[in-house]
């Protein structure tokens, strides 16, 4: 055997060894316990379940909407609005109580397949009330019963985060949700409030104080979608006006060192969704993900999946993607404990 053959054999052996190590690490990573702090219920419904429910409820798709083209997101979109096209359909169901149960079970099963041990699930109760032609109180009660039954099957801890959408009626929406929450005796399953929607849309001047009052009165955690569309000021407003405990996405904050220092000083956790951040354009393809910038400034962050079914991926994939964006293996191993620390669910051990 000549020297070239020796070198080739050595290279091949090293490649085989590296591949064995990679596969071993991938398998080990897949077995990690996980906590999920930012996932939208209607963005986590498997496509097969969506199609079954649409057929069962005889739901007519919007004109020009094609399931195979418009429901899933695999490549970066031109805008957040484009990314949100699937919600033209995702807001049309479930109209039937039994389909809420079907939906909840499918979502929780998918989470369990990613080894999620606790989850804070975001849902718009007001949409559900409209779809099921019931009061917000009844809709919240149904959501609690349905999600509890599903999570109990897997021994998964589950908390609900009630979502309010930015706009002229967001204060009314929040007040309605809080009244439903009170009508049910302030159930433990409800753990937080979320403000979502287009960050360019204005909201009533009194909305931030209503969030703060709900936090003080009921002890609910506050998470605000902010800085996903490039507006640094929205992140600062979430902290200073809304009293946010966590920031949803928050990628724009990486552009402002003073804001990063504020987040670190106040121990405000950023919910980072690596796959979603690329698909929505929150982090352009030609820019590094701000994960490492957050770490440099000691801003706490937790890796989340956002809308895993729409991406055809899961939280395990977001953890893997976070590593390609610069996190180390030890960073990923620590994520379960980080998620527990910043979760709104009480009594996690």
């Amino acid at each position: 055997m000549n020297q070239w053959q020796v070198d080739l054999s050595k290279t091949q052996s090293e490649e085989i060894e590296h591949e064995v190590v990679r596969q071993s690490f991938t398998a080990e990573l897949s077995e990690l316990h996980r906590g999920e702090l930012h996932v939208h219920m209607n963005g986590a419904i498997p496509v097969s379940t969506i199609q079954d429910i649409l057929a069962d409820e005889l739901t007519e798709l919007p004109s020009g909407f094609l399931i195979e083209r418009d429901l899933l997101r695999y490549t970066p979109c031109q805008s957040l609005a484009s990314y949100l096209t699937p919600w033209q359909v995702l807001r049309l169901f479930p109209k039937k109580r039994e389909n809420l149960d079907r939906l909840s079970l499918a979502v929780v099963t998918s989470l369990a397949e990613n080894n999620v041990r606790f989850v804070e699930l975001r849902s718009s109760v007001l949409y559900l009330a409209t779809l099921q032609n019931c009061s917000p109180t009844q809709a919240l009660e149904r959501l609690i019963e349905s999600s509890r039954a599903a999570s109990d099957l897997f021994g998964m801890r589950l908390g609900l985060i009630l979502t309010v959408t930015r706009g002229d009626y967001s204060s009314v929406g929040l007040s309605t949700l809080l009244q439903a929450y009170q009508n049910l005796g302030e159930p433990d399953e409800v753990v937080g409030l979320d403000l979502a929607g287009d960050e360019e849309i204005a909201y009533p001047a009194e909305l931030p104080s209503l969030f703060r009052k709900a936090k003080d009165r009921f002890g609910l955690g506050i998470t605000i979608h902010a800085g996903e569309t490039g507006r640094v000021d929205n992140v600062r407003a979430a902290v200073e006006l809304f009293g946010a405990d966590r920031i949803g996405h928050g990628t724009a904050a990486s552009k402002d060192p003073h804001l990063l220092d504020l987040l670190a000083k106040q121990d405000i956790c950023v919910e980072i969704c690596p796959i979603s951040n690329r698909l929505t354009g929150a982090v352009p393809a030609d820019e590094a993900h701000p994960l490492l910038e957050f770490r440099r400034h000691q801003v706490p962050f937790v890796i989340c999946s956002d809308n895993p079914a729409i991406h055809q991926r899961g939280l395990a994939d977001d953890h893997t993607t976070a590593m390609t964006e610069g996190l180390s293996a030890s960073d990923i191993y620590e994520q379960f404990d980080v998620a527990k620390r910043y979760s709104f669910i009480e009594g996690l051990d």
Side-chain angles (χ1 to χ4, degrees), residues 26-314:
T26 300
E28 185 177 346
L29 192 63
S30 70
E31 295 301 317
L32 286 179
H33 290 181
R34 294 184 168 86
E36 172 66 271
L37 303 189
H38 188 127
V39 59
H40 296 273
M41 189 169 193
N42 55 8
I45 310 167
V47 174
S48 58
T49 303
I50 293 174
Q51 292 175 312
D52 289 345
I53 293 176
L54 290 175
D56 180 62
E57 297 183 349
L58 303 178
T59 301
E60 185 176 342
L61 298 181
S63 177
F65 190 101
L66 297 176
I67 292 288
E68 59 273 18
R69 181 192 67 198
D70 299 321
L71 188 61
L72 302 178
R73 290 290 173 265
Y74 297 111
T75 57
C77 298
Q78 295 299 312
S79 66
L80 181 60
S82 175
Y83 171 84
L84 294 175
T85 298
W87 273 260
Q88 293 178 17
V89 164
L90 296 174
R91 291 192 180 109
L92 300 180
F93 67 93
K95 300 184 183 77
K96 297 180 180 180
R97 175 67 176 82
E98 58 268 28
N99 283 334
L100 176 60
D101 293 339
R102 177 190 294 187
L103 183 160
S104 296
L105 179 58
V107 167
V108 172
T109 299
S110 294
L111 291 167
E113 289 170 352
N114 278 263
N115 241 19
V116 171
R117 299 307 175 97
F118 63 90
V119 58
E120 295 177 10
L121 199 58
R122 301 176 190 222
S123 181
S124 177
V125 171
L126 300 182
Y127 271 115
L128 183 61
T130 300
L131 287 167
Q132 302 209 342
N133 193 28
C134 65
S135 70
T137 300
Q138 290 173 312
L140 179 55
E141 184 174 36
R142 293 176 185 181
L143 179 60
I144 289 172
E145 292 174 350
S146 181
S147 58
R148 182 199 296 143
S151 58
D152 283 351
L153 287 174
F154 293 94
M156 185 186 301
R157 291 290 303 279
L158 185 148
L160 294 174
I161 293 181
L162 307 183
T163 296
V164 176
T165 304
R166 285 180 173 85
D168 293 340
Y169 299 101
S170 49
S171 293
V172 175
L174 177 57
S175 297
T176 302
L177 287 173
L178 291 174
Q179 186 60 59
Y181 171 69
Q182 289 177 270
N183 291 345
L184 294 177
E186 303 174 18
D188 292 340
E189 287 86 353
V190 176
V191 298
L193 299 172
D194 170 38
L195 180 65
D198 189 340
E199 291 184 51
E200 305 301 319
I201 295 177
Y203 51 77
E206 71 275 11
L207 186 64
S209 66
L210 293 178
F211 267 82
R212 293 198 311 271
K213 288 176 182 177
K215 177 180 179 177
D216 293 340
R217 179 176 179 182
F218 304 115
L220 296 172
I222 303 296
T223 174
I224 305 290
H225 279 72
E228 184 180 14
T229 55
R231 296 198 49 143
V232 175
D233 290 346
N234 287 342
V235 180
R236 189 174 296 279
V239 176
E240 297 179 346
L241 301 181
F242 286 85
D245 301 291
R246 301 200 312 250
I247 301 294
H249 301 292
T251 52
S254 64
K255 308 293 186 182
D256 185 339
H258 296 295
L259 180 55
L260 290 173
D261 290 341
L262 176 66
L263 294 173
K265 181 179 179 180
Q266 297 198 17
D267 197 32
I268 294 172
C269 184
V270 180
E271 304 154 355
I272 292 178
C273 309
I275 294 174
S276 174
N277 292 161
R278 292 296 187 183
L279 294 178
T280 63
V283 181
D286 60 349
E287 292 185 12
H289 197 286
L291 270 170
L292 298 184
E293 196 67 20
F294 286 122
R295 190 172 66 178
R296 273 193 290 271
H297 282 262
Q298 298 183 315
V299 175
F301 60 82
V302 62
I303 303 300
C304 309
S305 66
D306 201 15
N307 301 296
I310 301 306
H311 309 154
Q312 292 288 277
R313 313 286 286 279

Side-chain angles (χ1 to χ4, degrees), residues 329-348:
S330 62
D331 290 327
I332 299 302
Y333 290 135
E334 291 170 1
Q335 275 294 298
F336 186 61
D337 288 333
V338 174
K340 283 195 291 187
R341 176 180 174 186
Y342 292 97
S343 176
F344 300 150
I345 301 172
E346 294 185 356
L348 293 173

